[in-house]
Each structure stands twice: as structure tokens, then as C-alpha cells.
Amino acid sequence: MSKGYWVTTYRATKDPAKLAAYAQLAPAAVAAAGGKFLVRGAAEEVREQGLKERTVVIEFPTYEQAVAAYDSDAYKKALEALGDGVERDLRIVRGTD
């Protein structure tokens, strides 16, 4: 089975308080689903029209677990807390293993 990854870039933070509330809930929801944070921070270098955005990469044991984590009740609560506090791009991708 292929690993699954969430790859998220934060384009803009509109409400830091909402982002902080999300940050209190999301790590536990991710960990409960078997997720492991690999990257958390702004890009140090950008190439090929890249942007210096905050980037987060989370690895899950399987692609199916990555999808299930996003759909979990615990993560839905984190998303509810986040609301419209940020503009971001979150993709769930399958690993090549």
C-alpha cells in the first residue's frame, strides 16, 4: 500500500486567532489518524515560480488513512475552528512506494 501525504500551502492568514485555535486541535487529530508531520514552516528557498509560503507536509501510513484523517470528526472540529482564518491549498497525494 502506498503512503498518503497531506501537502498544504498557506497563501494568506486572515485571522491569527482562528489559526491558533486550529493549531490547538489539528495535531491531535492528525496523530490519532497515524499522521506524522514531516515539514512545518515557510520555504527557505523557492525555485521555478515558487512562493515563500508556509508549507506543511504530513505523512500517513496509507493513502486511505490520509483521506480518512481529513474526513474524521476530530479534524472536522479543527477545520470548524479554522473557518475562514486562512487561505490555503491542501492536497492529499499518494506516495510512490
Side-chain angles (χ1 to χ4, degrees):
M1 285 195 170
S2 298
K3 291 185 179 185
Y5 297 87
W6 289 6
V7 180
T8 308
T9 57
Y10 287 73
R11 296 182 176 141
T13 299
K14 298 177 181 180
D15 187 333
K18 287 183 179 181
L19 179 57
Y22 168 83
Q24 292 295 312
L25 299 171
V30 166
K36 175 183 166 186
F37 286 87
L38 300 180
V39 174
R40 272 195 269 197
E44 303 244 348
E45 297 286 331
V46 294
R47 304 283 194 264
E48 300 182 23
Q49 301 174 2
L51 303 172
K52 283 200 168 198
E53 300 174 324
R54 177 175 172 75
T55 302
V56 178
V57 178
I58 303 170
E59 179 182 74
F60 291 87
T62 67
Y63 174 79
E64 291 76 16
Q65 282 176 273
V67 172
Y70 189 86
D71 294 334
S72 71
D73 288 339
Y75 192 68
K76 285 178 185 174
K77 288 179 185 174
L79 284 176
E80 193 175 297
L82 181 61
D84 62 355
V86 299
E87 286 179 22
R88 66 185 193 160
D89 172 355
L90 186 150
R91 299 165 188 228
I92 302 174
V93 297
R94 190 179 299 271
T96 59
D97 337 6

